[in-house]
Amino acid sequence: MSTSVSSGRSSLLCAAAALGLVLAFSQQDSARAQTLEQAISRAYAANPTLNAQRANVRAIDEQVPQALSGYRPTVSVTADVGAQYTNVKRKGSGGGGQFAPTGNPATDANFQALGQTLGSLGGPNKGRTYPRSAGIQASQNVFDGFRTKNQVRSAESNILAAREDLRNTEQNVLFDVAQAYMDVLRDYAILDIRKNNVDVLKEEQRAADERFKVGEVTRTDTAQAEARVQGALTAVSQAEAQLNTSRATYRQVVGDEIGRPKAAKSIDRVLPKSLPAAINLSQAQHPAILASLHGIDAATLQIRVFEADLMPQVSLQGSLQRSWDDSLSTKGYRTTAASVVGQLTIPIYQGGAPSSRIRQAKETAGQRRLDADTARDQVRQSVVSAWGTVQGATASIKSAQAQIEANQVALNGVREEAKVGQRTTLDVLNAQQEVLVARESLINAQRDRMVGAYALLSAVGWLSAQKLSLKVAGYDPNVHYDQVRDKWGGLRTPDGR
């Protein structure tokens, strides 16, 4: 593990060159060839998973203007209209509001005096009115126990966490693209060498048939050669099926069909130089860790938001009301009322709900801290695993290259010995199989080396369009945030929807 990634750079370049030699592009495939950088650029702009996460960040941006609304006044307008019928009379009296005699002089005198009083007020005691009113009310928060302040800060922490989640999603998508691309590249190369192996084995079968005709070998030798040819044809079919699967995965991740891919370029120049450096970098800047830390901030501020329920509240209320024909006595008149009221509310007991919410928020904050510890451990494990993959694949490339050279020498020797009867056809077939296995091992090791390098870059937190120097317009989440932060109204999103 002490060997640096840079020490394997020359081996990777040699391996890439070898893979380029293995891939013999046809004219048709070359016309549709594309590079890994082009594939990553396309996915960066068009991948639905990545674009969905960007939309999620834009939605979370709206939490800040929602929180800022606590500083702003609320205004509402009310209006009503109706019909009202009024008939005032004493029980047992006649119509028209006249008081019927009771036979008691004192009582009759009192009723008569009351009737004269109503008449002097000009108020009819029977009729229809159509009351109408309109008003406007305004309320302005003066002090809310620092609720709004802490809500704004919590919303900002949520936005920062969402942006880190976006970075993490971007890393995962770009890594999936690199892996899918290298799988297609590997499968094309394996298909090529397996097809070539079929041609070689058919030639061995032809040679065995010729030698059988002259009595140099037995029928067993020709049967062994034929069996190997059929096995090689099966291997070609399996390679074609695997290639189709890899192409489908690529189509899912990138959103486009892939032709014959080109050999990928090394990214060793942007990798950390040692495992301790990679671990330290990942702990300081991996988006999963940073998102969890912002989540702790948001959860801690949410405790203070709930604590505002236990503090005094001060607000200013203003209203203006105008009404017409409220009653028979005001029929034909207009009434106007205006008020400005300062209101102080001091909570005494609210059933225990605010206290429960505060305790709940404290537990949530504790959970966020544990989530951050989990994220640190997971990131560290990913770094160590990716580093080991890179180192192991680098060693496998060197070993496979040596195996190919040695097996090719052995194959040439076995063929010469077979010509003079010192080796059997089976020996030649086995030697040819050893060469095929070594070549496939080299291709797999080269694929693992490149995928491991991208995995290491992602584990550190560096897998981004900027770090890869992609020629693509970068997505800036600050643009949308600045557009909506201080909006006081409006239903349309900044893009016009």
Side-chain angles (χ1 to χ4, degrees), residues 9 20 61 71 80 219 245 327 409-410 431:
R9 184 174 302 170
D61 285 344
Y71 287 128
D80 61 77
R219 184 61 182 167
T245 300
S327 64
V409 172

Side-chain angles (χ1 to χ4, degrees), residues 34-50 169-185 246 249-256 258 261 264 447 450-451 454 463 468 470:
Q34 55 189 273
T35 65
L36 177 55
E37 290 75 14
Q38 291 172 339
I40 293 177
S41 297
R42 178 172 177 80
Y44 181 83
N47 182 268
T49 300
L50 187 53
T169 300
E170 177 184 327
Q171 289 202 143
N172 293 337
V173 168
L174 298 189
F175 172 75
D176 289 343
V177 173
Q179 184 173 4
Y181 185 95
M182 293 305 301
D183 286 347
V184 174
L185 182 62
S246 297
T249 301
Y250 178 92
R251 173 66 174 80
Q252 176 188 3
V253 176
V254 180
D256 193 13
I258 183 173
R447 177 264 180 197
M450 183 61 70
V451 172
Y454 275 91
L463 186 52
L468 296 176
L470 300 180

